[in-house]
Amino acid sequence: MKKGVLSMKKDQDVTMHIYVESVSPSGIKVVNSIPDGLKSQDVVELKKISYVDGVVDRNRTIAWSDIMITHVNIDAQREVEFMVSSDSCYVEMVFYTSCSSGYELDGPQRLIHIDENQHNLLFLSQAAYANYWPIGQNKELISIILTRDLFYRYVPQESMFARFLKAIDKEEPTPLFKQSAPITPQMEGLLRDILATQHDTLLRRMSMEAKVIELLMMQFQQYLDLHYTGAKQTIDSKIHRTMLDAKYYMDYNFAKPSSLLDLAQKVGTSEYYLKKYFKQVFGKTVFDYMNEKRMVRARYLLQEEGMNVNEVAQYLGIPDATNFSAAFKKYFGVSPSKLYK
């Protein structure tokens, strides 16, 4: 079995090490050898690709003094199991954009299962846990690890977070969301921005750290929204599953927009139920969700793929580039042509 060591400073002089070991198949090498003693302004980036027994593991890590971002992309012809442990406690923001995964403590005791296109916030202690990945292509995880000190600076001191904070005090592994929550288009946009950030060392760290904190704020806000509205508790599980199906359909077909009636028929519900319960579950209308998804994708295509305005409009299934430009400017406050330039 191969063991990788992910390291980051947990305070002024001490480095925290996270050990990632591939159990099945053995031999997957994760990014390792991040230097100890990082200064506050240092940013280190490392990449590694492993080809082992039907598994291709692409691993990229960006780290500075108190934050570590890991981008994992796996093609697997068999299930993959990792064992993860640490010499210190930490908080991890996990975003499974195109994969589902399970976390199990010794026992086996399941900590949490996270479905595709869901996120959670985990507190993890020094206790080892197993992390499972399913068979499939292009399985993606974006993980952001925070030191406890950094997390404490931003966590709201509200009663809604008392359970999570109590678990941290007792050093008991726990998820913030008892049921993992959907990744919103805004979250996905920030994640892509973080991975694409290119600046000199100090500016790059400042830019990425600001986006990480904004992403953390979004997780906190979604947790509060779900708690106060109780949407998942009050909606029948079958209806909730149907709303997730509608969301997943839009996530993968935003370039082929459907009418509300067509979408309702595709997921096996009525137009009335789709309008009512989609907003109750996700806090926005079907139209608003689709529009956000398309605009976030449009910004990525303009900035990162270098597509021009007409190409992006065509890609998104918008026949009139003028209409696309107007919608983009209304959403972001800047014309798409300026971003393309």
Side-chain angles (χ1 to χ4, degrees):
M1 292 184 287
K2 296 291 185 179
K3 181 178 291 188
V5 183
L6 305 178
S7 309
M8 61 188 290
K9 290 174 67 177
K10 60 183 177 182
D11 55 40
Q12 187 70 16
D13 302 307
V14 183
T15 301
M16 177 175 71
H17 299 280
I18 299 172
Y19 306 95
V20 183
E21 189 173 22
S22 70
V23 177
S24 176
S26 63
I28 297 175
K29 299 178 181 179
V30 303
V31 171
N32 55 20
S33 302
I34 293 176
D36 291 348
L38 290 177
K39 297 179 182 179
S40 61
Q41 296 181 8
D42 288 345
V43 177
V44 177
E45 179 172 351
L46 294 170
K47 298 179 181 179
K48 185 167 288 185
I49 301 178
S50 291
Y51 302 88
V52 179
D53 196 12
V55 176
V56 181
D57 180 290
R58 306 170 193 88
N59 198 282
R60 174 190 180 199
T61 292
I62 308 168
W64 55 98
S65 56
D66 46 13
I67 296 176
M68 180 162 57
I69 302 166
T70 302
H71 182 204
V72 183
N73 189 286
I74 293 178
D75 296 335
Q77 298 177 18
R78 55 178 291 181
E79 291 186 351
V80 182
E81 178 186 355
F82 295 101
M83 286 299 297
V84 184
S85 61
S86 171
D87 60 6
S88 183
C89 301
Y90 58 94
V91 175
E92 184 174 13
M93 306 159 64
V94 289
F95 300 86
Y96 281 88
T97 58
S98 61
C99 180
S100 61
S101 183
Y103 290 73
E104 291 184 359
L105 302 171
D106 289 339
Q109 174 190 348
R110 173 164 287 189
L111 176 64
I112 192 71
H113 182 84
I114 304 176
D115 286 331
E116 182 176 328
N117 203 42
Q118 289 189 342
H119 70 92
N120 213 316
L121 185 72
L122 309 177
F123 171 71
L124 295 163
S125 67
Q126 292 169 268
Y129 68 88
N131 177 217
Y132 298 94
W133 289 60
I135 296 171
Q137 302 294 307
N138 196 32
K139 300 298 183 181
E140 183 184 51
L141 161 68
I142 301 171
S143 159
I144 303 175
I145 291 175
L146 313 175
T147 60
R148 273 198 291 185
D149 288 344
L150 179 64
F151 179 75
Y152 277 135
R153 288 182 221 164
Y154 295 101
V155 61
Q157 299 301 310
E158 297 187 28
S159 60
M160 302 302 100
F161 293 89
R163 175 190 61 82
F164 191 71
L165 291 172
K166 186 177 181 180
I168 293 178
D169 290 340
K170 292 183 176 182
E171 297 193 351
E172 296 176 348
T174 189
L176 176 62
F177 296 82
K178 291 183 178 180
Q179 292 183 320
S180 297
I183 297 173
T184 66
Q186 297 98 319
M187 288 178 176
E188 185 174 346
L190 273 175
L191 289 167
R192 301 305 169 191
D193 285 348
I194 289 169
L195 294 176
T197 299
Q198 296 293 330
H199 291 291
D200 291 335
T201 299
L202 174 59
L203 296 180
R204 187 184 188 198
R205 182 187 65 77
M206 292 173 63
S207 175
M208 288 190 293
E209 187 161 319
K211 292 180 174 69
V212 167
I213 300 309
E214 185 177 358
L215 201 56
L216 181 64
M217 178 275 294
M218 288 182 178
Q219 287 190 302
F220 289 155
Q221 186 61 61
Q222 193 175 35
Y223 176 73
L224 290 172
D225 290 344
L226 289 172
H227 184 90
Y228 286 124
T229 61
K232 286 190 175 182
Q233 286 71 40
T234 59
I235 295 177
D236 178 81
S237 60
K238 184 177 180 181
I239 295 176
H240 186 262
R241 180 71 254 177
T242 301
M243 296 307 108
L244 286 174
D245 289 343
K247 176 183 177 298
Y248 293 155
Y249 182 85
M250 288 188 286
D251 287 345
Y252 293 100
N253 295 276
F254 57 84
K256 300 176 182 178
S258 302
S259 68
L260 200 62
L261 179 59
D262 288 341
L263 180 59
Q265 290 175 343
K266 283 182 172 66
V267 298
T269 189
S270 68
E271 187 175 354
Y272 170 79
Y273 274 87
L274 181 61
K275 289 173 63 176
K276 177 181 177 180
Y277 289 113
F278 190 92
K279 186 172 183 179
Q280 193 171 344
V281 171
F282 298 107
K284 60 194 66 181
T285 66
V286 171
F287 172 80
D288 287 342
Y289 181 84
M290 175 60 81
N291 186 56
E292 286 180 351
K293 191 78 178 177
R294 297 170 91 191
M295 292 302 106
V296 168
R297 184 63 177 172
R299 182 177 64 176
Y300 172 81
L301 294 173
L302 290 163
Q303 291 183 314
E304 305 303 327
E305 298 296 330
M307 294 174 65
N308 63 39
V309 174
N310 287 327
E311 289 171 334
V312 173
Q314 185 177 10
Y315 178 90
L316 295 176
I318 303 174
D320 190 337
T322 302
N323 291 340
F324 162 66
S325 295
F328 189 95
K329 186 172 183 179
K330 182 178 179 180
Y331 187 81
F332 288 112
V334 62
S335 68
S337 59
K338 288 186 178 180
L339 283 188
Y340 172 68
K341 290 178 183 178

